[in-house]
Amino acid sequence: MSDIKIYVTHTPDSKNARVRHPLFTHVMAGSDFCKGPLPPGMQPDNTGDHISGRNREYCELTAQYWAWKNARADYYGFCHYRRYFSFASGLLPQADCGCPVYPYLNRETEQTLCIKEAAGRIQPYDFLIAKGIPVRSLFAKDVVSHYNNAPGLHGRDLELFTKILCEKYPHLRAAAQAYLKGDLFYPCNMFIMKRGLFMEYAGMLFDTLTEFDRQADLSHYSREGRRTPGHLGERFAGIYYTWIRQQKTYRTGELQMVLFLHTQAGWVQKAVRDQAGNGRPGQFKQSGQTQGRTDSVQPGQVQKHQNSSDAENRRCGFQLKECPGSEIPIVLCAGQSYVPVLYTCVQSIVHTAGKNRRYHIFIFHTDIRADAMETFADAWRQSSVRVTFVDVGPWITGYRLKAKEHITSETFYRFLIPKLLKHNAKAVYLDADVIVCRDIADLYDLPLGEGDLAAAACDPDFIGQYNGGNPDTREYCKNVLRLNNPYQYAQAGVLILNLEAMRAQISVRRLFSMVQRGNYQYSDQDILNIVCQGRIKKLDMAWNVLADTGGRLEHAIKYAPANMLEEYEQARKQPYIIHYAGSRKPWMEPGGDFAKEFWRIARMTPYYEQLLGQMAAAACAGRGTFAGRVRAGCSGWVKKTAKKVLPKGSSVRRAVVWLYWKMK
């Protein structure tokens, strides 16, 4: 019997169900990145001659490289922890994706795949590959367009790879052209080859990728884009298979690829109960620092003063006093309709406040009622936090302040901070739709450089859109914002402001004149990025963790440069400030991302019942209303009919889906 080795690649630190059979060797691809010990029986890919440290770019190719350099066998095969070959004599029923799909990898499905008959199916062939999928079912006209359509990938890279390949190995040119312009795609780098073929294959592949690495620039690519070498290796498998078939001297064949949805060993996760609330992401402090503390508004929420040298302040009749040196100035902007959310935000600041610091919260507004101000005053009279309401109406008179979509006009009030806090050198600004999970003093104490106008976290949503998630954003950035480096675009919901530098460099008149143009998609945030570009210090993203609402992570953030996506994911594990940016809020959708953290604080406020009422009203505006029930019913009827007329896996269903996406 031939010595057959089929390598099953696993991702670092994963614990997956495994096929137990002598033909299969399980490899931890990217072992360099493992934080814990490898599971028993798992082969690392960082022994001998290896490129394990390139796993984030090369994916499963690091396991192929290791096998090429360190293992000896008659046949070399490769599959994945959730994608295996079927060695059954007949075809298994396929799903819409073009391959059979099963929920779990277990003994029953191993029997379905006929694992025990694998050796007998392999030995009559020189080259076996995962069964080709018609690109029409993948909403593409050929293999090239399928690559170009893939999220995060760029057609120029496939062109460069093909150019290098054909220059180094001109005998593959015809096969490359035939495969890339063909209508059949061989997926997932899954194949089984005889030793001689695999040695030739690996030599050409890694030689070509080495030159590609030298010429290409992937520095701003998303996490998926950073995997470009792995994707190119996948296309090379199809090119090489096409060339082998053109020779007509080798025995070739195709095996069905089977996908398993749940592969984690013991996939039902144990529920963890942490009654103490320690160490959980976004968990609020429960120490004696803030328990029993209340806050107060000092008498005279809007403070009037007689001595003012500023002409406009004389016209308006007042200005704000300087915060004592020991107080931390914090500014929020809101209107009467936002008071319940505003109060919840302030409550979170109080809840996490340090016992040895003092805080002065300024609320810029034009319409908050006196009874709401009294509610704030009654709550925190004896605490180290005081609240001052500032009616900014006199300063915005004559300006047309209209924000886009769900953003309210109050967002522009932040432009007044340098003017109204004219005796302060520094201040913190917060959007009202945030929950503070860490002492805001830790943010305020972060140093600003001499040339910095502000400090802010990068905006992974905007940058992800710019980096491929939304082509319109790239055009908007080029034609409207005209930023020198869009990859430094800042999220303005949490800011440390260098008020002295801003007063010297940026006038309020200039900011409000930019508002009048009305062509900025993200309103004041775009304006701040324009006027402060190159002078915004980068904050740890944990200080402004955008909640994943409306599919933000899937449709935008995942396209951000890979290092930025990783920073966002790390920040989510222990956020310092949670920001519910966007139109979908936790007081509308209580099951949303980080919504529990909002409601944990909301329960401490006198507006809890009002917030519940708003949530109920939002629900009634959708499915709860008659129109909503009609829409839901129609949608359900359409789905049921489609399932009957267009059964899964049928050619008619694939054709209809392809036509739908073509029209869309």
Side-chain angles (χ1 to χ4, degrees):
M1 180 180 289
S2 300
D3 182 13
I4 301 171
K5 285 187 170 64
I6 300 177
Y7 296 96
V8 184
T9 58
H10 297 251
T11 55
D13 290 316
S14 60
K15 296 180 180 179
N16 303 300
R18 289 184 263 168
V19 168
R20 308 286 183 177
H21 190 278
L23 296 187
F24 291 85
T25 300
H26 294 270
V27 182
M28 188 66 74
S31 298
D32 273 2
F33 298 100
C34 287
K35 298 177 181 177
L38 269 61
M42 183 73 69
Q43 169 66 49
D45 73 341
N46 61 352
T47 61
D49 188 352
H50 69 88
I51 56 170
S52 180
R54 300 297 307 278
N55 177 255
R56 290 174 176 171
E57 298 87 23
Y58 276 56
C59 309
E60 67 275 355
L61 296 186
T62 61
Q64 290 186 18
Y65 185 95
W66 180 89
W68 174 45
K69 292 293 187 179
N70 300 285
R72 185 172 182 84
D74 297 326
Y75 283 89
Y76 295 78
F78 297 89
C79 57
H80 307 267
Y81 66 93
R82 64 191 185 105
R83 296 185 181 92
Y84 284 80
F85 294 111
S86 168
F87 298 101
S89 56
L91 291 178
L92 302 177
Q94 296 186 158
D96 291 343
C97 62
C99 69
V101 177
Y102 293 94
Y104 310 112
L105 176 60
N106 51 30
R107 290 183 180 179
E108 182 179 356
T109 49
E110 282 186 32
Q111 292 175 357
T112 303
L113 301 185
C114 299
I115 297 295
K116 293 182 178 180
E117 286 79 45
R121 289 292 310 276
I122 293 170
Q123 291 179 105
Y125 294 92
D126 300 308
F127 192 145
L128 289 163
I129 197 168
K131 190 175 184 295
I133 299 175
V135 292
R136 285 176 63 89
S137 65
L138 303 173
F139 320 123
K141 66 177 182 179
D142 54 31
V143 175
V144 170
S145 63
H146 174 249
Y147 184 95
N148 293 341
N149 294 342
L153 301 187
H154 305 272
R156 60 179 178 269
D157 296 318
L158 181 58
E159 292 176 5
L160 176 59
F161 177 83
T162 307
K163 177 177 176 290
I164 296 170
L165 177 68
C166 293
E167 288 174 351
K168 285 179 169 288
Y169 307 100
H171 65 283
L172 294 179
R173 186 183 301 275
Q177 292 175 347
Y179 176 66
L180 295 176
K181 291 299 181 183
D183 60 359
L184 206 60
F185 171 59
Y186 295 103
C188 300
N189 256 325
M190 290 178 56
F191 55 78
I192 304 171
M193 300 186 204
K194 273 195 168 181
R195 175 179 174 78
L197 293 178
F198 177 66
M199 292 296 142
E200 178 184 60
Y201 167 88
M204 291 190 293
L205 171 61
F206 292 108
D207 180 38
T208 305
L209 285 177
T210 298
E211 180 61 22
F212 173 82
D213 285 341
R214 192 183 69 81
Q215 296 188 33
D217 180 12
L218 314 184
S219 57
H220 285 135
Y221 279 17
S222 65
R223 175 178 291 175
E224 195 60 43
R226 189 168 64 177
R227 295 169 177 158
T228 291
H231 286 285
L232 295 174
E234 182 180 18
R235 272 64 184 183
F236 179 69
I239 292 172
Y240 188 71
Y241 179 67
T242 302
W243 181 77
I244 288 292
R245 293 186 65 190
Q246 289 175 346
Q247 307 314 298
K248 298 182 179 179
T249 57
Y250 297 98
R251 299 166 297 170
T252 62
E254 299 181 14
L255 297 171
Q256 271 187 304
M257 177 185 71
V258 179
L259 173 65
F260 294 95
L261 300 179
H262 306 291
T263 59
Q264 281 190 321
W267 69 277
V268 178
Q269 298 182 358
K270 179 183 177 182
V272 178
R273 181 174 299 174
D274 188 351
Q275 294 180 345
N278 295 322
R280 293 172 58 189
Q283 186 68 34
F284 298 97
K285 296 179 182 178
Q286 300 295 332
S287 69
Q289 291 183 2
T290 58
Q291 287 182 349
R293 176 181 299 164
T294 57
D295 193 17
S296 67
V297 180
Q298 300 300 317
Q301 285 84 4
V302 179
Q303 301 179 28
K304 299 187 178 182
H305 303 278
Q306 303 300 320
N307 301 321
S308 174
S309 59
D310 184 275
E312 185 172 13
N313 283 347
R314 285 200 302 271
R315 177 176 66 83
C316 298
F318 64 94
Q319 59 176 307
L320 294 175
K321 286 183 178 178
E322 179 182 5
C323 276
S326 61
E327 282 191 330
I328 298 170
I330 306 164
V331 180
L332 296 97
C333 305
Q336 175 61 37
S337 63
Y338 223 66
V339 162
V341 177
L342 171 69
Y343 193 106
T344 306
C345 175
V346 174
Q347 178 71 63
S348 72
I349 297 173
V350 175
H351 194 69
T352 54
K355 62 180 179 180
N356 297 320
R357 304 298 292 269
R358 299 189 66 81
Y359 309 79
H360 192 166
I361 299 174
F362 298 93
I363 298 174
F364 288 9
H365 75 103
T366 57
D367 65 346
I368 294 180
R369 298 195 303 263
D371 61 325
M373 296 183 193
E374 286 300 323
T375 302
F376 281 76
D378 292 341
W380 299 305
R381 287 194 186 280
Q382 305 303 320
S383 78
S384 62
V385 179
R386 62 172 174 148
V387 179
T388 297
F389 285 85
V390 183
D391 186 345
V392 299
W395 284 280
I396 64 171
T397 301
Y399 291 114
R400 179 177 56 86
L401 304 181
K402 186 176 181 180
K404 297 292 181 69
E405 298 179 352
H406 62 278
I407 304 172
T408 62
S409 60
E410 285 84 7
T411 192
F412 296 114
Y413 299 170
R414 74 181 79 186
F415 291 163
L416 295 168
I417 297 174
K419 175 181 284 293
L420 298 187
L421 271 63
K422 64 180 303 180
H423 297 296
N424 289 95
K426 184 180 178 183
V428 170
Y429 168 81
L430 300 176
D431 277 355
D433 58 349
V434 307
I435 290 295
V436 176
C437 311
R438 177 172 172 172
D439 187 355
I440 210 70
D442 294 339
L443 174 63
Y444 179 78
D445 290 342
L446 294 175
L448 291 172
E450 186 176 343
D452 296 330
L453 293 173
C458 288
D459 189 332
D461 187 312
F462 180 92
I463 295 171
Q465 292 183 51
Y466 173 83
N467 209 38
N470 183 357
D472 292 342
T473 299
R474 179 172 283 268
E475 288 300 309
Y476 167 72
C477 204
K478 175 183 176 182
N479 299 324
V480 179
L481 299 186
R482 300 180 181 178
L483 300 175
N484 296 329
N485 186 356
Y487 291 100
Q488 293 180 350
Y489 185 91
Q491 219 295 331
V494 177
L495 298 169
I496 308 173
L497 299 174
N498 185 343
L499 300 182
E500 288 183 335
M502 293 188 77
R503 281 189 286 266
Q505 300 292 327
I506 305 170
S507 70
V508 173
R509 186 180 301 276
R510 177 191 174 191
L511 295 174
F512 280 119
S513 67
M514 294 177 73
V515 175
Q516 306 312 298
R517 299 175 192 171
N519 62 334
Y520 295 113
Q521 183 175 347
Y522 294 104
S523 305
D524 57 306
Q525 180 167 280
D526 284 349
I527 294 172
L528 288 170
N529 272 277
I530 292 171
V531 299
C532 298
Q533 68 170 310
R535 301 183 65 182
I536 301 177
K537 180 178 179 177
K538 182 182 176 183
L539 287 178
D540 186 325
M541 208 175 286
W543 284 112
N544 190 352
V545 176
L546 299 179
D548 180 21
T549 56
R552 169 178 281 126
L553 178 57
E554 177 66 22
H555 300 302
I557 296 179
K558 80 171 187 180
Y559 294 94
N563 58 341
M564 187 173 294
L565 174 59
E566 289 164 4
E567 182 185 355
Y568 172 74
E569 292 174 336
Q570 185 63 33
R572 286 178 57 84
K573 295 178 182 178
Q574 191 167 359
Y576 304 155
I577 294 178
I578 301 169
H579 188 182
Y580 303 101
S583 59
R584 301 168 75 171
K585 310 290 189 181
W587 51 94
M588 299 175 185
E589 298 180 354
D593 189 37
F594 286 121
K596 290 181 180 179
E597 310 306 332
F598 174 84
W599 287 103
R600 182 179 289 117
I601 295 297
R603 292 188 190 97
M604 305 176 187
T605 74
Y607 290 98
Y608 178 56
E609 291 79 10
Q610 188 170 331
L611 287 165
L612 289 176
Q614 290 180 2
M615 181 180 66
C620 289
R623 185 176 293 271
T625 62
F626 175 76
R629 290 194 296 271
V630 170
R631 288 194 298 270
C634 290
S635 175
W637 178 83
V638 170
K639 289 180 180 178
K640 289 180 181 179
T641 304
K643 287 181 179 180
K644 292 181 180 180
V645 178
L646 306 171
K648 284 187 176 181
S650 67
S651 58
V652 176
R653 182 186 179 100
R654 284 196 295 270
V656 170
V657 172
W658 178 85
L659 181 61
Y660 167 78
W661 284 106
K662 190 76 173 175
M663 293 172 63
K664 188 172 182 180

